[in-house]
């Protein structure tokens, strides 16, 4: 084979491998942007100014309105898709939590995370805390970075409260 043929075949093979990855990246980016736009439009209806957004798994979006002290959360995996709004003026503390389940493999017991949430404790201790579910083992196959996400958003919310 001539050098030109080898170069053309190499470029063609590289394009066959890279093109689907590039297309998938842009599809995921577009889905995340659509999720953000949906949350922004819902926020505008309620006259909220959200500028701090984060999306993950193309199904979850969380946003913070620092001016009105509101947390917005959108989960399109729910049957009733709606934006959940939490008034941070009623929240005393935000903390990330992990729920575990235990499995037994022979004599060894292992703990597996089955749920990650942000728990928003209210000032009125008689009121049930708000819970924002970031990961559920039954809805998602594996954890990507939900624990780090929960810690980051907990810090952002608590910093806003101080």
């Amino acid at each position: 084979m001539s050098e030109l043929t080898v170069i053309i075949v190499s470029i063609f093979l590289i394009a066959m491998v890279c093109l689907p990855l590039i297309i998938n990246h842009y599809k995921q980016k577009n889905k995340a942007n659509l999720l953000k736009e949906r949350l922004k439009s819902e926020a505008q209806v309620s006259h909220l100014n959200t500028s701090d957004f984060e999306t993950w798994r193309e199904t979850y979006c969380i946003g913070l309105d620092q001016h009105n002290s509101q947390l917005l959360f959108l989960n399109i995996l729910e049957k009733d898709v709606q934006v959940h709004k939490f008034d941070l003026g009623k929240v005393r503390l935000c903390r990330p939590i992990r729920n575990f389940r235990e499995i037994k493999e022979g004599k060894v017991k292992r703990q597996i995370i089955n749920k990650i949430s942000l728990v928003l404790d209210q000032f009125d201790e008689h009121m049930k805390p708000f819970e924002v579910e970031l990961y559920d083992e039954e809805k998602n196959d594996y954890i990507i970075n939900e624990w780090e996400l929960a810690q980051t958003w907990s810090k952002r919310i608590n910093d806003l409260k101080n």
Side-chain angles (χ1 to χ4, degrees), residues 86-132:
F86 303 99
D87 183 7
L88 297 177
K90 297 178 181 177
V91 173
R92 177 175 45 90
L93 177 69
C94 177
R95 54 192 167 88
I97 62 164
R98 292 181 286 194
N99 293 339
F100 295 90
R101 69 178 174 87
E102 198 170 270
I103 62 170
K104 189 174 183 181
E105 295 176 344
K107 294 181 180 181
V108 178
K109 290 184 181 180
R110 289 186 353 171
Q111 288 187 331
I112 297 177
I113 298 173
N114 68 344
K115 199 177 216 183
I116 296 175
S117 304
L118 282 176
V119 175
L120 306 166
D121 293 327
Q122 298 189 48
F123 281 115
D124 185 0
E125 294 177 5
H126 300 295
M127 300 289 290
K128 180 181 169 189
F130 301 124
E131 188 170 334
V132 178

Side-chain angles (χ1 to χ4, degrees), residues 68-92:
N68 294 319
S69 192
Q70 296 275 330
L71 179 72
L72 297 110
F73 180 71
L74 176 64
N75 175 1
I76 62 172
L77 290 177
E78 295 176 345
K79 294 175 186 169
D80 181 25
V81 178
Q82 63 182 15
V83 175
H84 300 283
K85 298 173 193 128
F86 303 99
D87 183 7
L88 297 177
K90 297 178 181 177
V91 173
R92 177 175 45 90

Side-chain angles (χ1 to χ4, degrees), residues 147-162:
W147 180 242
E148 291 82 11
L149 185 77
Q151 291 174 320
T152 302
W153 277 91
S154 174
K155 184 177 180 336
R156 284 183 189 171
I157 292 167
N158 289 329
D159 288 348
L160 181 66
K161 299 296 299 165
N162 296 332

Side-chain angles (χ1 to χ4, degrees), residues 10-141:
S10 299
I11 291 173
F12 178 73
L13 291 174
I14 290 171
M16 283 181 51
V17 170
C18 294
L19 193 60
L21 296 173
I22 293 170
I23 291 171
N24 186 37
H25 170 75
Y26 283 108
K27 280 184 179 179
Q28 288 179 350
K29 191 173 181 180
N30 286 340
K31 284 183 181 179
N33 286 338
L34 288 173
L35 210 55
K36 285 181 186 178
E37 291 303 317
R38 182 166 180 184
L39 191 65
K40 283 182 183 179
S41 67
E42 290 287 334
Q44 286 176 350
V45 168
S46 301
H47 306 293
L48 300 174
N49 302 319
T50 49
S51 58
D52 192 7
F53 286 98
E54 192 159 359
T55 60
W56 66 101
R57 293 188 188 269
E58 298 136 18
T59 54
Y60 298 95
C61 187
I62 192 168
L64 186 62
D65 179 2
Q66 295 182 359
H67 179 69
N68 294 319
S69 192
Q70 296 275 330
L71 179 72
L72 297 110
F73 180 71
L74 176 64
N75 175 1
I76 62 172
L77 290 177
E78 295 176 345
K79 294 175 186 169
D80 181 25
V81 178
Q82 63 182 15
V83 175
H84 300 283
K85 298 173 193 128
F86 303 99
D87 183 7
L88 297 177
K90 297 178 181 177
V91 173
R92 177 175 45 90
L93 177 69
C94 177
R95 54 192 167 88
I97 62 164
R98 292 181 286 194
N99 293 339
F100 295 90
R101 69 178 174 87
E102 198 170 270
I103 62 170
K104 189 174 183 181
E105 295 176 344
K107 294 181 180 181
V108 178
K109 290 184 181 180
R110 289 186 353 171
Q111 288 187 331
I112 297 177
I113 298 173
N114 68 344
K115 199 177 216 183
I116 296 175
S117 304
L118 282 176
V119 175
L120 306 166
D121 293 327
Q122 298 189 48
F123 281 115
D124 185 0
E125 294 177 5
H126 300 295
M127 300 289 290
K128 180 181 169 189
F130 301 124
E131 188 170 334
V132 178
E133 182 181 284
L134 303 179
Y135 167 78
D136 188 347
E137 183 181 31
E138 294 176 7
K139 297 176 186 173
N140 309 108
D141 297 333

